[in-house]
Amino acid sequence: MAWVETGSGGYFVAFDEEGKVVCRNAAGRQLKAVPPKLNDDPVVLGLRQLTDWLDAHRRGCLETAERWMVRSLPVPAAVVTAVWADEAWREVLRDLVVTGADGEVAGFLRGADAERGIGLVDLDGDTVRLTGSELRIPHPVLLDDLDELREFAVELGVSQQVQQLYREVWHRPADVTGTQVDTYAGGRYAALRELLGRCARLGHRVRGGHAVLPVVEDGRALEARVWVGDYYEYDECETGALSWTGPDGKVLPLAEVGPVAWSEGMRMAAALYAGRTIEGEEAA
């Protein structure tokens, strides 16, 4: 830690390993907390503002990388190389499974260099390089050898910040018909406000009585929708059916829903259903 002197009574402040502001007195003893009298000190305020900015930056990196994955967007290799020096970006991107522009699985991302290209560890444990101008961070439902990748990740001790390898996936049945899925319908909640609160915690907006999840697949904007109700907030309610709409807002036949949109929609519906009131739970 690099200690910075405050303007009050010989106190010094710094960041600890967890990124929190810590303080020591003039005798060099680290205190349990920053004294209240230092709360308005410019040095302390500056460090706390920097902490808030770093937290927001890490969240932004994570959200951006997850968006690249969910949408299977091509990512310029030059962008990965440029942000690799940033520790927050490096922690988010490291060990993600990436492919070349051709979509073939290459391996776990381990480095990025402007001259040597993108460094990966492949399934044989060898270090290889991607030298193309683009790469992809595929959604796990698109990975044919997902189980093998998961096993290899355990051997390597891989820990991903972005949920990729261990993200729950659902595969659309080949013979599916109709326009809605009832697998996770009927999840009873004691009050609508509880279901709406779960939607908010999971990051899903609610519009017109539906929890909605926008998904872009192959450049096409879709929206997964689960009925949650538009009753009084203290009314009992149930989760409804899952459906998908196209860019024009019309409900799509299930056979036209792509693999990523299907998996992400089912993931949302399952998460909302999981928060239901279990019979006997209140009494217990």
Side-chain angles (χ1 to χ4, degrees), residues 68 75-85 89 93 109 111-112 118 135 137:
W68 290 343
V75 182
V79 170
V80 176
T81 300
V83 302
W84 192 257
W89 269 111
L93 295 175
L109 180 59
I118 305 298
L135 56 85
I137 304 171

Side-chain angles (χ1 to χ4, degrees), residues 170-178 253-257 259 262:
W170 284 259
H171 295 276
R172 189 193 69 193
D175 57 350
V176 69
T177 60
L254 297 181
E256 296 182 12
V257 179
W262 179 277

Side-chain angles (χ1 to χ4, degrees), residues 18-221:
E18 297 179 356
K20 297 180 180 180
V21 178
V22 293
C23 180
R24 76 180 188 190
N25 57 22
R29 182 172 62 87
Q30 186 168 325
L31 308 179
K32 293 183 179 180
V34 178
K37 64 181 180 180
L38 297 181
N39 287 341
D40 295 327
D41 186 275
V43 174
V44 176
L45 289 174
L47 286 183
R48 285 176 171 165
Q49 290 171 353
L50 179 57
T51 299
D52 293 341
W53 183 89
L54 290 172
D55 288 342
H57 176 55
R58 292 188 186 96
R59 289 194 301 270
C61 296
L62 185 62
E63 291 168 359
T64 300
E66 185 170 21
R67 185 163 59 250
W68 290 343
M69 181 196 70
V70 170
R71 298 184 178 185
S72 296
L73 293 172
V75 182
V79 170
V80 176
T81 300
V83 302
W84 192 257
D86 184 325
E87 182 179 353
W89 269 111
R90 192 165 59 250
E91 289 178 354
V92 167
L93 295 175
R94 181 178 171 85
D95 284 330
L96 286 177
V97 175
V98 301
T99 73
D102 55 7
E104 293 185 4
V105 174
F108 296 92
L109 180 59
R110 286 295 176 90
D113 184 88
E115 296 182 358
R116 296 186 296 168
I118 305 298
L120 312 164
V121 174
D122 64 15
L123 288 175
D124 295 324
D126 298 327
T127 299
V128 296
R129 294 279 174 179
L130 287 180
T131 56
S133 62
E134 291 182 344
L135 56 85
R136 291 178 182 269
I137 304 171
H139 189 284
V141 77
L142 302 177
L143 295 172
D144 294 331
D145 47 0
L146 180 58
D147 291 337
E148 185 179 354
L149 285 165
R150 286 173 172 171
E151 291 177 4
F152 191 50
V154 172
E155 294 177 12
L156 289 178
V158 164
S159 177
Q160 296 181 326
Q161 289 198 24
V162 176
Q163 275 196 325
Q164 185 191 34
L165 286 182
Y166 299 102
R167 193 180 192 87
E168 305 94 331
V169 295
W170 284 259
H171 295 276
R172 189 193 69 193
D175 57 350
V176 69
T177 60
T179 59
Q180 63 182 31
V181 180
D182 297 321
T183 305
Y184 297 108
R188 185 177 66 85
Y189 281 76
L192 176 60
R193 64 186 181 89
E194 295 179 5
L195 178 51
L196 296 180
R198 184 163 180 82
C199 290
R201 289 190 297 275
L202 293 172
H204 301 310
R205 293 183 294 112
V206 176
R207 187 178 67 249
H210 291 87
V212 298
L213 174 67
V215 182
V216 177
E217 187 164 11
D218 294 330
R220 186 186 186 195

